[in-house]
Structure formats: C-alpha cells, structure tokens
Amino acid sequence: MHWSTDAFIYHLYPLGCLGAPGRNDFASPPIERLDALHDWIDPLLELGIDTLFLGPVFESTAHGYDTADYFRVDRRLGTADGLARLSRALHEKGIRLVLDAVLNHVGRDFWAFKDVREKGQASAYRDWFHLDFSRASPCGDPFAYEGWNAHYDLVKLNVSHPEVRRHLFEAVTAWITAFDLDGLRLDAADVLDRSFQRDLARHCRALKPGFWLKGEVIHGDYRHWIAEAELDSVTNYEVYKGLYSSHNDRNYFELAHSLERQFGQRGIYRDLSLYTFADNHDVARIASQLRDPAHLYPLHLLLMTVPGIPSIYYGSEWGIEGKKGASSDAALRPALAPARSREQAPYPALHATLKRLSALRRGYPALRHGGYRALHVAHEQVAFARSGPMGHALVAVNAQSETRRIEVDLPAAMAERWVDVLNRQSFDCPGGRLELPLDACWGRILVPRGDVKHEGIN
C-alpha cells in the first residue's frame, strides 16, 4: 500500500507565507527566507501532519508558476542549501516533502524564451515552444506563442521535444537528489501531455521507489488521468465543490451524490486515493467561502473522514479568511508565522478540532482505507460507513444550528454496540437500528466497541 493513502498533507505557499517581494529583480543576493519554515515543523507535528507540500520554490518572475530557471531556488526564498536544510529537518521529524512542479509552461524570463525573443527564428530554442512567426503576440513579440489558458506571461513548453524533455528530467533528477523529495504536484496536469507525464512518472520512480505524483486536474475523468499518465492521485475538485456548496445551499444531497458516484459500491474511483481539500492557493479560503462560519466544523469533520487524502492549506486551520481580488491572488497567499496565526486565530477551536480529527483518522484505519457506503442523507444531515478488512467506522454529521436526531439502519454483519470516539459516548444498536442525536453543526465518528483504542468512554 502506498504511503500517501495514510498521509495528512499541509499545503504551504512559500512566496506568500514568507513575505517575499512580489517580483524578482534577478539581481539581488538570495535571502534565506526558507529558514523561517523550520518554525512550522513542530506546529505541523502538533496537528498530526506527516507531509508538507510546498508551492513553487524555483526561480521565477513573480508568483512562482512563471519559472525562469528550474535549476535554481528562487533568490527571494533562499538557496539550494537552505532548501536542503529544510528537507533534512522535516525528514528528521518524520515529515515527507512534496514540491510543486511547473512543467507545462515557463515565464517570459525563462532563459530559452528570452533567447527566442532576442534572436527570433535564428534561436536554437525556437522549437522548445509553440511559435508562429507569421503574426505577433499580445505582448508585442514578432511571433505568436501558446500561453496557458490565454495567460501570456505563462509560455507553454513543447514537452514533446527531446531537448525539452531532457532539460526537465535533468531538473527533476537534481531536485530529488539534492532535496530528498518524496513527491511532486504536477501543475496544470490536465493540459500537460500525458505521454510526458507517464515517462516522468517512470523516471521519478526509478530514482526513488514510492515517489508520489499528484496531478492538478480540475475537470474530467480522474481515472483517465491517473491511468494514462500513471499518476498516483489527482485533485478532487468535485468533492471540494460539494464540501462548501452543500453547506451553503443546505443540501447534503449534492455531496452525498458525488461521494456515491465516486466511492460507492459501484463508484468509478473506489480504488483510487484522490487529493481532498477545502481550499488552496487558487480559490477563496474556506472561511470566506462559507456563509455560516459554524459550518467550518462539520465541513472539516467530513474532509477528514470521506475517502481521499486530506489536505489543509496554511492558516486555514485557524479559519483565516481570504478572497481573490480583481487583479491579484495575494489575499489567498498572505504572510504568516505559526505563532502569530495562533494568537490572531479567528476560530481558535478549529485547530483543536482538526488535531482531534487527525488523531482519530490516524488511529482508526477504516477512516483511511475503508470503502464508502451511504447510510442516511437529508438536506442538513448525512451519515455513511467506512468499512473494509481493517475495520469499520460510522460517520454522521449535522449542519443545522440545532440538535437533530437521525436513525440509521446498519447491515446485519455490523456490530450491535458502537462507541463515538469523537465525543466519547456509547450507543446500542438493537435490531440493526442506530438512533443518533447530533449536536448543532457537529457530528459523530463511531467504531465497534471492541475496536476502541482509548479510555474515558461513557
């Protein structure tokens, strides 16, 4: 079984978190801002995190996704030595390191594209990109080129070209070797050539068995991308959307439909470990997305118990807010330090909740590996079972602002006595029917009495 199926991931965007300048002057000496991330290690361990995913760290023009040099750590963040120190410190504490790999496109300051801008058709690198010398670009170049999603500060690479592939594979080799990486997130994987991804996956796993590859895929058939590109996981944007809109619309039927479609008995992704999240560097913070802040608690209870690999975006464990601006994503990527986040937390109880949920997920394998079976669905209540060879767990959630009682019929093979390990209460299940009172904007996680791993149960 791959290590990622047990992972709890923390996503941190370093250029924003460390307060780096918004643009790179490509002249200043490096500043070791990455050293400040050592202060995050103990807070990550406290939360139960075992994998740190860092957004872009290599030399770029502005936001990190406009790469200028794949072989150099961004001078606004520090040096290769600083990143290597961070990796060693993380691994010494048992935390794996995953980096953002932006291989579909580069920035206009990428050295090979600068050569094309300077020399035109005479450039030795003209075939590294998708160019048309019969017309001008929106940026005023005497040639047109393909940009990612019509963003012309992001120049699409021709990853089918042998020299481009060699350059990128050499960069990835250098990253894995120098920084002892455990995985990569492939940016824009849904538009990145699948044969390139497949070759990259084989290359990475030959260098380091168990290497994890997650693709950013927003729409489409997730299985298609995992199978054809030989990825381990992709971003589950369908469940992401269901998590917030099911609460905002008071309609758990939406989320339940997605979970059944994906992971039910006939689910199309039931054997896959998809990456599950409530927010990230591209979308509004979940505390800003929800209409009712009290829904932060049932939402994160679901995040930590539905099938998938859960992830927390830095600062969201404290309920910080942030929305996209008209011309900037800076509000989604603020400068933060862990001590200050704790002191200024808008929802201080959320951190303790996540810490508790993380411990339960780690302690009960059914919450990580069990299959999914719907047990009850209403507009503001949902219950499901996670079952498999490693045990059983029942999850029930109430999004209403008052206590509600639900009745759940369990399969005959399931236990007759259950313990809510989240709230430390016991429940009998006579005749296979379980009656559960659910507190306002909260829920229960139940396991068979014989599987309980701690004391203090009523």
Side-chain angles (χ1 to χ4, degrees), residues 283-289 320-324 331-333:
V283 300
R285 292 275 182 171
I286 191 59
S288 295
Q289 192 83 273
I320 72 167
E321 298 185 352
K323 293 183 178 180
K324 283 188 176 187
L332 307 178
R333 310 165 182 181

Side-chain angles (χ1 to χ4, degrees), residues 427-439:
F427 293 89
D428 290 325
C429 184
R433 171 157 289 195
L434 192 60
E435 294 188 10
L436 293 174
L438 300 175
D439 288 344

Side-chain angles (χ1 to χ4, degrees), residues 118-150:
E118 182 180 320
K119 300 176 182 176
Q121 297 190 58
S123 172
Y125 305 105
R126 55 173 291 178
D127 293 331
W128 281 40
F129 311 97
H130 302 271
L131 307 179
D132 180 355
F133 288 94
S134 69
R135 54 194 179 93
S137 77
C139 296
D141 306 291
F143 56 85
Y145 60 88
E146 188 175 339
W148 173 80
N149 203 25

Side-chain angles (χ1 to χ4, degrees), residues 329-399:
D329 291 342
L332 307 178
R333 310 165 182 181
L336 283 181
R340 190 176 67 186
S341 297
R342 189 186 298 266
E343 292 169 0
Q344 301 177 355
Y347 302 98
L350 184 58
H351 183 277
T353 298
L354 280 165
K355 181 179 175 181
R356 178 76 177 131
L357 292 170
S358 171
L360 292 176
R361 184 177 182 275
R362 186 168 60 250
Y364 294 96
L367 294 173
R368 306 191 306 274
H369 307 293
Y372 172 87
R373 179 169 180 167
L375 298 176
H376 178 92
V377 184
H379 283 286
E380 295 183 84
Q381 293 79 39
V382 66
F384 54 87
R386 301 290 311 276
S387 300
M390 295 186 179
H392 305 277
L394 305 180
V395 178
V397 176
N398 175 27

Side-chain angles (χ1 to χ4, degrees), residues 186-202:
L186 299 183
D187 181 64
D190 47 5
V191 294
L192 182 59
D193 180 79
R194 273 164 286 180
S195 67
F196 171 82
Q197 293 184 69
R198 184 166 56 247
D199 292 345
L200 177 67
R202 295 171 183 175

Side-chain angles (χ1 to χ4, degrees), residues 266-277:
R266 297 182 180 179
I268 58 177
Y269 307 138
R270 59 181 305 191
D271 57 338
L272 302 182
S273 294
L274 303 182
Y275 180 85
T276 312
F277 59 98

Side-chain angles (χ1 to χ4, degrees), residues 8 79 82 125 135 151 168 175 238 271 283 311 326 382 414 436:
F8 181 22
T79 63
Y125 305 105
R135 54 194 179 93
H151 291 283
L168 295 177
W175 302 345
E238 181 179 345
D271 57 338
V283 300
S311 172
V382 66
M414 285 195 171
L436 293 174

